[in-house]
Amino acid sequence: MENEKTLITDFDLDLICDYFGRLDRQGPGNPESTIRALSFIDNFSDELKIADFACGTGGQTMILAQNTKGTITGLDISPYFIEKFNTNAEKLGLQNRVKGIVCSMDNLPFQNEEFNVIWSEGAIANIGFEKGLNYWKGFLKKDGYIAVTYESWFTDERPTEIEKFWVDAVPEIGTIGHNISIMQKAGYSLVAAFVLPERCWIDTYFTPQKTIQKTFLEKNAGNKAAEDFVKYMKYEEELYLKYKQYYGYVFYIGKKM
Ligand code: SAM
């Protein structure tokens, strides 16, 4: 990847949405992990209000809706993803409880203490782990829960190649212990933290990409940015297979004090 784009955010958003809109999930994760994280949350009621920040097309949101009562607001910066999200909710007959809106996670249109649960898979790095935990806390009721997945180091040291890739992508990336301490300092008590299993990367993230890469490249034939984007995504997989013992996503579940 010498002299080529080295961050996903270097690519055009429309291109990223065209690619990831073809997939059920836009980041590592799977239904079992979403349900496992949900199992740490008590006091389910019909009035439960959940927000899913950076919901994408709603893979995890629909699982949340099928396993809870109450309402869910999904939000994402991409209108294209939100359109697909609302279509998916309708297909599953969830449209009365699940609604997607377009907005940015760092400028939220909600009331103070509006939600019982704030969810966010694979996206808090866009605002920053510490900043997101602090800002989002204002929208949680007292004793409300936050559940986020976040890129994390599994070891204190790692090879330069993988260190550089992730520090460029997520400058704040830290170890699990460091991230738990940030969560506690932000005013949450730790409820649970667990590493997403490898199948969340391989079965639901990298493998489905292989099948859509061909049609994506056919549709964008001759588009160098599209070719570079596919190369970038293949490089991400290559790095994961080589260095997966050093990093991954961790689910952090906290309760607002
Ligand atoms: N949560 C989904 C999942 O796990 O499948 C999507 C995760 S994807 C890795 C990251 C998502 O963050 C994308 O849907 C992207 O559009 C969204 N996003 C990026 N920056 C954002 C922002 N500032 N506000 C809201 N959404 C944002």
Side-chain angles (χ1 to χ4, degrees):
M1 294 291 290
E2 286 286 302
N3 300 323
E4 289 177 12
K5 293 186 168 72
T6 50
L7 294 179
I8 195 164
T9 46
D10 291 338
F11 291 94
D12 180 61
L13 188 62
D14 287 344
L15 201 65
I16 299 177
C17 290
D18 178 6
Y19 184 90
F20 278 108
R22 295 157 191 259
L23 299 166
D24 292 339
R25 292 289 306 249
Q26 288 71 48
N30 69 8
E32 292 74 34
S33 296
T34 299
I35 290 170
R36 182 171 175 203
L38 196 57
S39 74
F40 292 103
I41 293 177
D42 293 330
N43 299 326
F44 278 23
S45 77
D46 290 357
E47 280 89 48
L48 199 65
K49 283 186 86 175
I50 302 178
D52 184 2
F53 294 167
C55 55
T57 59
Q60 70 295 322
T61 328
M62 306 307 152
I63 298 294
L64 284 175
Q66 286 163 334
N67 288 276
T68 52
K69 297 173 180 168
T71 57
I72 307 187
T73 305
L75 73 85
D76 201 279
I77 203 161
S78 159
Y80 181 71
F81 285 167
I82 288 298
E83 203 184 317
K84 281 187 172 273
F85 176 102
N86 284 323
T87 306
N88 287 339
E90 215 163 306
K91 273 189 199 150
L92 293 167
L94 294 167
Q95 68 279 8
N96 294 332
R97 294 201 292 120
V98 178
K99 175 111 193 74
I101 61 169
V102 178
C103 79
S104 183
M105 60 169 83
D106 56 7
N107 187 17
L108 297 170
F110 306 119
Q111 310 276 327
N112 278 346
E113 306 204 349
E114 186 165 336
F115 296 104
N116 304 93
V117 178
I118 289 178
W119 207 268
S120 185
E121 295 195 33
I124 194 170
N126 288 299
I127 181 173
F129 187 68
E130 185 169 7
K131 185 173 167 200
L133 290 178
N134 279 297
Y135 175 50
W136 297 351
K137 199 176 99 180
F139 300 97
L140 260 188
K141 294 184 195 302
K142 184 171 180 304
D143 292 332
Y145 289 88
I146 192 153
V148 300
T149 63
Y150 181 51
E151 298 89 339
S152 309
W153 294 128
F154 298 161
T155 55
D156 285 338
E157 292 184 5
R158 45 264 147 192
T160 315
E161 186 183 25
I162 197 60
E163 171 97 19
K164 177 164 176 11
F165 179 85
W166 279 106
V167 170
D168 285 349
V170 181
E172 273 186 310
I173 185 170
T175 59
I176 299 173
H178 176 74
N179 294 333
I180 289 174
S181 152
I182 288 177
M183 182 173 235
Q184 290 168 330
K185 283 194 189 112
Y188 301 89
S189 66
L190 179 73
V191 175
F194 65 88
V195 172
L196 289 194
E198 270 177 49
R199 55 184 180 277
C200 287
W201 289 80
I202 299 191
D203 298 356
T204 44
Y205 186 58
F206 293 128
T207 303
Q209 287 184 48
K210 290 190 208 305
T211 54
I212 59 112
Q213 279 165 354
K214 191 168 172 283
T215 46
F216 173 79
L217 286 174
E218 275 164 14
K219 182 188 162 202
N220 293 288
N223 178 341
K224 166 100 171 52
E227 287 164 11
D228 285 349
F229 185 66
V230 169
K231 264 191 224 160
Y232 175 87
M233 295 313 303
K234 286 182 172 169
Y235 181 55
E236 190 191 358
E237 179 181 12
E238 201 185 297
L239 287 180
Y240 181 74
L241 297 175
K242 194 164 162 192
Y243 295 117
K244 61 190 178 197
Q245 68 272 38
Y246 295 100
Y247 71 96
Y249 272 98
V250 174
F251 235 122
Y252 297 94
I253 299 128
K255 190 170 186 177
K256 180 174 170 178
M257 307 280 282

